[in-house]
């Protein structure tokens, strides 16, 4: 059995078990245990793929979070969740275009189902349709890009040697990463999806698409477009965080800015993996706390429940980039890499965008600490 | 190791405080006294053991956490510990605020000891955290605006500093001050990086166009005033420690701009102080006015003026703390501290201002004339404030507690001592100047 087969085995097994369980006897706790166990085991089956391990860990956290308030019926939910994570694992290890595309589709198709899981909820359905149409379109564009690349080179290896194909492919990736100007779906889908699924979208899906970036080598004729997208993303994301008061929308806009930083990390060789890891830690701590609080008002949380407030504050400070939080170290590395590689514009924009976004994060922090 | 202990002790005690609600005041006071004793002993050990070639009296190094002690950091360390002990008196009953205070103190100590720029930056940001939370938890309802302003301005300052540190790192490959001092940068690079540092420090100083966050935060309460005394000194310290030694060419180039900003700050602060009704705000704007004076002193390229800046940093911080403690509680003391702040001869601030103006006059006579206006304007707004508080409004006086009284008394004695025998402090600061600032300028 090859290493690749071994790495996807636990999740595949988990899916089979859940399907069997859904057919013969339903039991919520057992199903949750299967989800948790298969994602935890798959973490250990990925010895040298750090992106994959990060995906597995995020799935574990997601499974833990779904225990707080298990969606009904949980077996189907688990099947969708695990198959999507399975797609993410395939994506993280993809070595040619075919694996890559299969991984992408396996990752995104179950997400439509996850978003619309409570199919009587009109909001969720709206989000699902929006995501379905736009993600389908982006997959098609991506596939067209892959086709052009293949037609040009006749090879299936991952390289962006044709500007047109590369641009089309990157457009699709940018859509999935919600990099400006392809970010418009993000706030709506984040807001209208169930929180659990939003947490999944914000972590697993982002990690795996970032892993595509990390496994591709940058081609020089795409550099201007990429830099433009990174700059736009950083600025647009930062400005939009100032506007909104709704926390999931806010996180969506903040993710736009942060994916801009990830693009900078990729362009400048500043460790995409490190940035994604610290981003996922921060975002998960926020999502976990919102889910745990179950819709409670954030105003004055510090006085009522100090522990979740502390985690939320940690998450916001980290997204803000305050020293000794994870994202600070990641940003520090990216900034250094940007200057070493002589990308002064990216360096300056990154500082400017962090500065603009401070107000957005600080507003949430002051709200949490307020007395009422 | 002593240096690490000076930094860690308040940090550890701060986290122990919630478990000792009854003795929190005593425990925090004891910890501050212990670190003050440790600072003194570190200084005396270092002085007796180090030779003339040694740059630092004592060092501690683990990766980027690089602590070192010299005369400048010694003077400022003792001042911040004194301020910490004094503000403890105002929050004697409140364990939570004592915790914030000790955390801020620990951050300040870390900042004053750091010789590595990365560590300096990290402490620069972290020392603000307790202040955020403190002002938030003490602030009245719906008053989050000053805090937001504070966060935004300080983060802006932090990001500029981060950018400059990263730029310096990529150009030179190190963030260690010892190594940086021996590396010469190109004119343009130096100018860019120095501007980042300078704006970051000007925000915290605070100097005229960047001062917006400060008065409203300062007016929140007496402890806020003292904490911001701890925070504000770090701006001037940054100039003395990093900007002047590391960027001598850029400092020369920018000195006329800095003179202009300083003069603007002196006049602007004084005029706004004159129009304020709230005494805390009067003091806030007087700090801005004096900060302008200090900025002029820093860029005057004259040893006397730099000595004056250091003396003024120390005396202004403790005189302000004394005034905020005795306000509406003891007429005599508040009069005394207001007089000290307006630069009455015989008290500490006078020595600082005099030295500063004297040094400034040697290199920039016109600027010294403008700067000396701060003495006259200072007298005007402080006296107006005192008349308003004690003769026109006649606010009810509350009695002063014995602890506050003794704290005020000790500050008064200290100010008198510096004012009457300035040589004791000047010996220390002259040594400071000779030791490291000249190193960069030469």
């Amino acid at each position: 059995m090859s290493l690749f087969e071994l790495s996807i085995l636990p999740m595949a097994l988990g899916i089979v078990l859940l399907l069997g369980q859904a057919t013969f006897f339903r039991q919520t706790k057992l199903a949750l245990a299967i989800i948790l166990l298969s994602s935890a085991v798959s973490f250990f089956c990925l010895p040298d793929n750090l992106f994959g391990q990060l995906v597995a860990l995020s799935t574990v956290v997601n499974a833990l979070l779904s225990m707080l308030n298990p969606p009904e019926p949980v077996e189907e939910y688990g099947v969708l969740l695990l198959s999507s994570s399975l797609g993410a694992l395939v994506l993280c290890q993809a070595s040619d275009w075919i694996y890559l595309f299969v991984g992408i589709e396996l990752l995104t198709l179950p997400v439509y189902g996850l978003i619309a899981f409570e199919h009587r909820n009109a909001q969720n359905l709206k989000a699902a349709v929006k995501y379905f149409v736009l993600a389908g379109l982006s997959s098609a564009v991506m596939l067209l890009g892959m086709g052009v690349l293949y037609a040009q080179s006749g090879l299936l290896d991952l390289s962006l040697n044709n500007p047109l194909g590369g641009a089309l492919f990157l457009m699709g990736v940018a859509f999935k990463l919600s990099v400006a100007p392809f970010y418009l779906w993000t706030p709506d889908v984040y807001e209208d999806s169930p929180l659990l699924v939003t947490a999944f979208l914000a972590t697993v899906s982002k990690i795996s698409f970032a892993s595509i970036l990390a496994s591709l080598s940058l081609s020089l004729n795409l550099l201007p477009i990429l830099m433009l997208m990174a700059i736009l993303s950083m600025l647009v994301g930062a400005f939009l965080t100032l506007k909104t008061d709704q926390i999931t929308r806010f996180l969506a806009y903040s993710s736009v800015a942060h994916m801009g930083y990830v693009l900078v990390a990729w362009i400048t060789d500043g460790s995409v993996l490190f940035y994604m890891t610290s981003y996922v830690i921060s975002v998960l701590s926020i999502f976990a706390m919102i889910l745990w609080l179950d819709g409670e008002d954030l105003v004055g949380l510090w006085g009522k429940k100090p522990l979740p407030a502390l985690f939320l504050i940690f998450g916001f400070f980290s997204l803000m980039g305050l020293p000794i939080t994870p994202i600070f170290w990641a940003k520090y590395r990216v900034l250094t890499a940007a200057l070493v590689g002589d990308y002064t514009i990216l360096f300056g924009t990154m500082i400017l965008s962090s500065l603009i976004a401070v107000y957005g994060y600080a507003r949430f922090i002051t709200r949490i600490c307020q007395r009422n | 190791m002593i240096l690490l202990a000076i930094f860690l002790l308040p940090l550890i005690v701060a986290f122990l405080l919630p478990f000792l609600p009854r003795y929190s005041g005593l425990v925090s006071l004891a910890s501050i006294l212990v670190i003050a004793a440790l600072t003194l002993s570190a200084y005396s050990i270092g002085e007796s053991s180090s030779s003339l070639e040694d740059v630092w009296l004592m060092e501690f190094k683990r990766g980027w956490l690089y602590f070192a002690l010299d005369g400048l950091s010694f003077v400022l360390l003792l001042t911040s510990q004194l301020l910490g002990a004094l503000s403890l008196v105002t929050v004697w009953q409140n364990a939570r605020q004592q915790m914030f205070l000790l955390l801020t103190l620990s951050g300040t100590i870390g900042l004053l000891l750091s010789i590595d720029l990365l560590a300096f930056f990290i402490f620069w940001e972290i020392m603000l955290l307790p202040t955020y939370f403190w002002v938030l938890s003490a602030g009245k309802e719906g008053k989050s605006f000053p805090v937001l302003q504070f966060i935004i301005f300080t983060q802006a300052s932090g990001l500029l500093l981060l950018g400059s540190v990263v730029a310096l790192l990529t150009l030179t490959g190190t963030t260690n001050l010892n190594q940086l001092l021996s590396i010469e940068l190109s004119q343009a690079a130096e100018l860019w990086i120095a501007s980042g540092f300078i704006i970051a420090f000007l925000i915290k100083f605070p100097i005229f166009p960047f001062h917006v966050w400060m008065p409203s935060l300062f007016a929140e309460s007496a402890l806020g005033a003292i904490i911001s005394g701890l925070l504000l000194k770090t701006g001037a310290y940054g100039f003395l420690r990093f900007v002047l030694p590391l960027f001598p060419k850029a400092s020369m180039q920018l000195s006329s701009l800095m003179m202009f900003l300083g003069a603007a700050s002196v006049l602007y602060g004084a005029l706004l102080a004159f129009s304020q009704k709230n005494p805390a705000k009067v003091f806030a704007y007087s700090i801005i006015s004096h900060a302008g004076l200090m900025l002029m002193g820093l860029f005057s390229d004259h040893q006397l003026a730099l000595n004056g800046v250091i003396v003024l940093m120390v005396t202004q911080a403790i005189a302000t703390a004394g005034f905020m403690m005795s306000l509406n509680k003891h007429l005599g003391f508040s009069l005394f501290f207001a007089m000290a702040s307006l630069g009455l001869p015989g008290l500490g601030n006078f020595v600082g201002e005099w030295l500063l103006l004297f040094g400034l006059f040697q290199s920039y006579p016109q600027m010294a004339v403008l700067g000396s206006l701060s003495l006259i304007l200072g007298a005007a707004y402080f006296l107006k404030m005192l008349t308003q508080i004690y003769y026109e409004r006649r606010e009810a006086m509350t009695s002063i507690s014995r602890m506050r009284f003794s704290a005020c008394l000790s500050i008064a004695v200290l100010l008198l001592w510096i004012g009457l025998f300035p040589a004791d402090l000047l010996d220390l600061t002259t040594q400071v100047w000779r030791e490291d600032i000249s190193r960069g300028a030469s």
Side-chain angles (χ1 to χ4, degrees):
Chain A
M1 191 186 281
S2 75
L3 212 58
F4 173 69
E5 283 161 2
L6 183 71
S7 70
I8 58 171
L9 187 68
M11 286 209 183
L13 222 72
I15 295 171
V16 173
L17 280 177
L18 281 173
L19 284 175
Q21 205 205 340
T23 330
F24 298 113
F25 71 107
R26 288 179 176 272
Q27 220 236 339
T28 313
K29 275 184 188 152
L30 185 65
L32 284 171
I34 293 174
I35 305 174
L36 191 62
L37 211 67
S38 55
S39 44
V41 170
S42 71
F43 173 75
F44 295 103
C45 297
L46 292 151
D48 48 356
N49 189 318
L50 292 167
F51 276 110
Q53 286 187 334
L54 197 56
V55 166
L57 268 188
S58 315
T59 317
V60 170
V61 175
N62 211 283
L64 282 174
L65 288 177
S66 57
M67 281 179 183
L68 287 174
N69 196 359
E72 274 311 316
V74 75
E75 287 82 5
E76 278 81 341
Y77 177 82
V79 169
L80 290 174
L81 184 75
L82 285 185
S83 27
S84 186
S85 294
L86 187 65
L89 289 186
V90 173
L91 196 48
C92 292
Q93 304 178 76
S95 52
D96 61 37
W97 292 120
I98 295 193
Y99 271 116
L100 196 76
F101 191 70
V102 170
I104 290 171
E105 285 310 299
L106 193 52
L107 169 65
T108 40
L109 278 174
V111 173
Y112 311 139
L114 279 176
I115 296 177
F117 198 67
E118 284 170 38
H119 55 272
R120 286 193 186 80
N121 187 330
Q123 253 189 349
N124 295 353
L125 276 181
K126 196 173 81 186
V129 171
K130 214 171 254 174
Y131 189 60
F132 178 72
V133 172
L134 290 172
L137 183 69
S138 86
S139 288
V141 171
M142 210 187 281
L143 193 61
L144 180 62
M146 288 179 200
V148 173
L149 284 169
Y150 176 68
Q152 178 79 20
S153 65
L155 291 172
L156 282 171
D157 11 335
L158 302 176
S159 65
L160 304 175
N161 40 20
N162 178 314
L164 175 66
L168 286 171
F169 177 73
L170 282 178
M171 212 189 271
V173 175
F175 174 88
K176 296 281 169 49
L177 277 178
S178 61
V179 169
F182 308 105
Y183 68 93
L184 290 164
W185 60 277
T186 326
D188 294 342
V189 172
Y190 269 42
E191 191 186 2
D192 290 338
S193 308
L195 262 177
L196 257 178
V197 184
T198 314
F200 184 80
L201 264 179
T203 52
V204 173
S205 151
K206 295 252 148 81
I207 299 164
S208 39
F209 283 99
S211 86
I212 301 185
L213 286 187
S215 64
L216 286 170
S217 58
L218 190 65
S219 83
L220 278 179
N221 39 26
L222 289 176
L223 194 62
I225 304 180
L226 278 171
M227 279 173 68
L228 194 69
M229 287 206 301
I231 290 172
L232 246 161
S233 197
M234 289 191 272
L235 290 179
V236 166
F239 273 115
L240 287 174
T241 52
L242 306 182
K243 207 187 91 184
T244 172
D245 275 341
Q246 210 273 335
I247 191 158
T248 42
R249 268 190 110 75
F250 173 81
L251 286 173
Y253 290 133
S254 129
S255 87
V256 175
H258 279 278
M259 290 308 124
Y261 306 147
V262 169
L263 265 191
V264 177
W266 182 47
I267 295 171
T268 60
D269 268 337
S271 182
V272 175
L273 175 69
F274 188 39
Y275 203 102
M276 280 317 287
T277 314
S278 40
Y279 177 71
V280 164
I281 293 172
S282 325
V283 165
L284 271 184
S285 81
I286 294 180
F287 271 113
M289 289 309 124
I290 308 173
L291 271 163
W292 189 18
L293 292 170
D294 203 18
E296 198 176 322
D297 196 7
L298 291 186
V299 177
L301 194 67
W302 177 251
K304 285 178 282 183
K305 291 182 179 167
L307 195 66
L310 203 66
F311 275 95
L312 276 175
I313 290 172
F314 161 78
F316 282 121
F317 269 134
S318 181
L319 288 178
M320 189 157 124
L322 199 86
I324 67 166
T325 54
I327 290 190
F328 164 70
W329 292 110
K331 258 189 191 164
Y332 180 68
R333 266 179 90 159
V334 177
L335 282 173
T336 317
L339 265 196
V340 169
D342 218 11
Y343 295 99
T344 323
I345 303 177
L346 294 179
F347 174 83
T349 320
M350 203 164 153
I351 296 228
L352 184 66
S353 128
S354 317
L355 181 56
I356 296 163
V358 164
Y359 175 69
Y361 299 116
R363 235 170 7 145
F364 274 93
I365 295 167
T366 46
R367 209 171 295 159
I368 291 167
C369 294
Q370 229 168 44
R371 280 203 300 197
N372 47 343
Chain B
M1 280 320 276
I2 299 184
L3 297 182
L4 193 65
I6 297 173
F7 161 65
L8 279 182
L9 190 68
L11 192 69
I12 295 166
V13 172
F15 286 109
L16 288 180
L17 280 187
F19 304 106
L20 310 158
R22 244 181 159 183
Y23 306 102
S24 60
L26 277 177
V27 172
S28 347
L29 187 63
S31 72
I32 294 180
L33 288 179
V34 169
I35 55 171
L38 282 176
T39 315
L40 283 169
S41 64
Y43 184 74
S44 56
I45 293 172
E47 206 174 27
S48 60
S49 66
S50 62
S51 58
L52 272 176
E53 294 94 67
D54 285 347
V55 180
W56 311 107
L57 295 171
M58 190 175 270
E59 292 181 55
F60 171 83
K61 194 171 183 192
R62 287 278 181 287
W64 53 262
L65 196 68
Y66 183 8
F67 283 165
L69 182 77
D70 69 348
L72 176 62
S73 38
F74 172 70
V75 172
L76 294 179
L77 274 178
L78 275 189
T79 316
S80 42
Q81 285 153 6
L82 179 70
L83 275 178
L86 291 175
S87 29
L88 205 56
V89 173
T90 60
V91 289
W92 194 252
Q93 304 298 334
N94 191 331
R96 195 165 158 176
Q97 296 193 357
Q98 283 165 6
M99 185 174 150
F100 289 137
L101 178 69
L102 282 185
L103 289 176
T104 310
L105 185 63
S106 169
T108 316
I109 290 172
L111 179 121
L112 292 173
L113 285 172
S114 296
I115 295 308
D116 191 290
L117 273 170
L118 183 58
F120 177 80
F121 165 72
I122 286 172
F123 286 119
W124 176 268
E125 294 267 288
I126 286 196
M127 66 179 292
L128 299 168
L129 271 183
T131 315
Y132 296 156
F133 289 117
W134 177 76
V135 185
L136 277 170
S137 69
K140 295 124 208 154
E141 198 186 339
K143 270 206 168 180
S144 56
F145 189 64
V147 190
L148 272 178
Q149 253 181 350
F150 176 54
I151 296 183
I152 290 168
F153 269 86
T154 49
Q155 282 296 312
S157 139
L159 280 166
L160 280 170
L161 193 61
L162 175 66
S164 319
V165 171
V166 169
L168 206 57
L169 173 68
T170 46
L171 280 180
T172 61
T174 175
T175 53
N176 183 331
L177 183 66
N178 289 340
Q179 293 167 11
L180 283 173
L181 282 174
S182 56
I183 297 171
E184 194 133 337
L185 294 167
S186 70
Q187 184 99 16
E190 191 171 291
L191 194 63
W192 275 105
I193 297 174
S195 328
F197 272 94
I198 286 175
I199 297 175
F201 293 152
L202 286 184
I203 289 175
K204 238 194 212 167
F205 212 150
I207 293 294
F208 160 51
F210 311 108
H211 68 282
V212 183
W213 59 274
M214 192 267 207
S216 45
L217 183 79
F218 197 87
E220 287 276 304
S221 85
L223 184 63
I226 295 163
I227 282 194
S228 50
L230 283 177
L231 300 180
L232 295 176
K233 280 203 317 305
T234 56
Y237 171 77
F239 276 107
L240 282 169
R241 173 69 83 212
F242 296 108
V243 175
L244 297 179
L246 281 181
F247 314 112
K249 281 176 280 176
S251 311
M252 287 296 284
Q253 248 178 316
L254 290 173
S255 68
S256 50
L257 178 65
M258 291 298 126
M259 286 292 156
F260 173 72
L261 280 181
S265 209
V266 165
L267 296 176
Y268 177 86
L271 289 178
L272 275 177
F274 194 76
S275 63
Q276 297 301 318
K277 291 221 166 67
N278 179 352
K281 286 215 165 164
V282 175
F283 256 87
Y285 283 107
S286 97
I287 286 178
I288 294 171
S289 174
H290 282 117
L293 196 61
M294 283 192 236
L295 186 69
M296 287 156 89
L298 283 170
F299 282 88
S300 67
D301 197 27
H302 198 279
Q303 181 178 342
L304 270 181
L306 286 172
N307 273 335
V309 170
I310 298 169
V311 175
L312 198 55
M313 270 162 80
V314 175
T315 53
Q316 188 201 40
I318 56 180
T320 310
F323 181 82
M324 299 315 286
M325 283 173 76
S326 57
L327 180 65
N328 284 336
K329 295 213 162 54
H330 196 284
L331 173 62
F333 276 130
S334 45
L335 185 64
F336 182 89
F337 294 126
M339 286 299 170
S341 303
L342 65 83
L344 194 73
L347 296 176
N349 300 43
F350 174 73
V351 180
E353 287 180 17
W354 183 251
L355 280 174
L356 204 163
L357 288 172
F358 201 73
L360 188 61
F361 192 78
Q362 311 279 327
S363 31
Y364 295 88
Q366 301 92 334
M367 285 297 159
V369 172
L370 272 181
S372 59
L373 277 179
S374 88
L375 280 167
I376 303 166
L377 293 171
Y381 58 77
F382 275 126
L383 291 177
K384 174 178 169 253
M385 175 189 76
L386 283 177
T387 329
Q388 272 186 345
I389 302 173
Y390 291 111
Y391 296 97
E392 285 170 14
R393 268 189 259 152
R394 289 172 190 264
E395 281 167 17
M397 301 274 278
T398 47
S399 67
I400 190 165
S401 71
R402 208 172 289 165
M403 201 178 278
R404 244 174 224 254
F405 185 85
S406 44
C408 287
L409 192 66
S410 54
I411 305 176
V413 170
L414 194 63
L415 282 174
L416 258 177
W417 185 29
I418 299 176
L420 295 178
F421 307 103
D424 296 342
L425 183 62
L426 284 178
D427 282 348
L428 270 179
T429 55
T430 315
Q431 191 187 352
V432 166
W433 158 234
R434 219 178 285 134
E435 266 175 10
D436 29 72
I437 299 163
S438 58
R439 204 150 34 87
S442 63

